[in-house]
Amino acid sequence: MKTDHLTSTFMALRQRLHRSALAYLKDDEDARDALQDTFVKLWKSEEMESDSEASSKLFVALKNICIDRIRRRRTVALEDSHMVSLKIEASTGEDMERLESLLTAGLTQVQRHIYSLSVHYSMDYEDIAKRMNMTEGAVRTQMCRVRKKISENYKILDR
């Protein structure tokens, strides 16, 4: 009969692993899912030689899975944020224009122009740079600032 170090170690450390995942994820269900994903991931990998090896691999894999979940949560939060509901609520052109003006408040004239060319006219940075007699790097920098300002304004509106 083979000794399964992974299973025995997992069962012995299950509560500590759960608390560790809970500390990262702040949600009990997510922590339980991360715990299950950790076990499955290591179960599919090579056999453990000892309980101490299984223990260290469990904690490292759990930490990595929790970090991945946090990153995914941030990405999803941006994509599925309340901006979607704002777009649905602001269905008329007039409402959309008002929403856009609120989000772009505080931009410089150059930033507004670059934003407009990029968003409304679907121009790439190279074409915008030629049109505005700027370098492509300068256009990228300005668009980065535009996105940051829009994000700040959105957070204020979302309150």
Side-chain angles (χ1 to χ4, degrees):
M1 181 173 159
K2 92 175 187 183
T3 306
D4 186 8
H5 295 288
L6 177 64
T7 304
S8 62
T9 305
F10 179 79
M11 294 309 290
L13 297 175
R14 187 174 190 153
Q15 292 302 320
R16 283 184 54 203
L17 289 164
H18 182 260
R19 283 192 304 271
S20 180
L22 196 55
Y24 280 108
L25 300 172
K26 311 289 189 236
D27 181 56
D28 188 56
E29 193 164 323
D30 274 351
R32 290 180 193 276
D33 289 344
L35 207 58
Q36 182 178 3
D37 291 347
T38 301
F39 183 77
V40 169
K41 179 180 180 179
L42 291 177
W43 181 259
K44 291 179 181 178
S45 69
E46 74 280 349
E47 190 174 323
M48 308 290 163
E49 297 294 322
S50 68
D51 287 346
S52 64
E53 178 187 6
S55 174
S56 64
K57 285 190 177 186
L58 278 165
F59 278 102
V60 169
L62 178 66
K63 179 186 82 164
N64 291 336
I65 286 173
C66 288
I67 290 170
D68 287 344
R69 285 176 173 268
I70 291 168
R71 285 180 181 152
R72 244 183 287 135
R73 192 185 301 160
R74 286 182 186 160
T75 303
V76 171
L78 289 175
E79 292 169 357
D80 292 340
S81 65
H82 300 303
M83 183 65 91
V84 174
S85 64
L86 284 175
K87 286 181 181 177
I88 292 169
E89 290 171 11
S91 57
T92 68
E94 189 176 291
D95 290 340
M96 289 300 290
E97 288 174 14
R98 183 172 165 267
L99 177 61
E100 184 177 20
S101 69
L102 289 171
L103 290 174
T104 57
L107 297 179
T108 66
Q109 197 62 27
V110 172
Q111 290 171 338
R112 284 182 191 275
H113 193 61
I114 291 172
Y115 170 79
S116 178
L117 292 174
S118 177
V119 172
H120 298 293
Y121 297 101
S122 302
M123 293 177 69
D124 61 9
Y125 294 156
E126 183 180 349
D127 293 335
I128 294 172
K130 288 178 186 174
R131 184 169 185 166
M132 295 190 66
N133 199 21
M134 298 172 72
T135 65
E136 190 175 339
V139 172
R140 286 184 189 281
T141 301
Q142 290 299 322
M143 274 304 291
C144 180
R145 291 176 182 160
V146 166
R147 284 189 296 272
K148 182 178 179 184
K149 186 64 177 175
I150 288 173
S151 175
E152 290 170 0
N153 288 344
Y154 175 73
K155 287 176 184 174
I156 291 169
L157 287 174
D158 194 35
R159 290 182 191 168

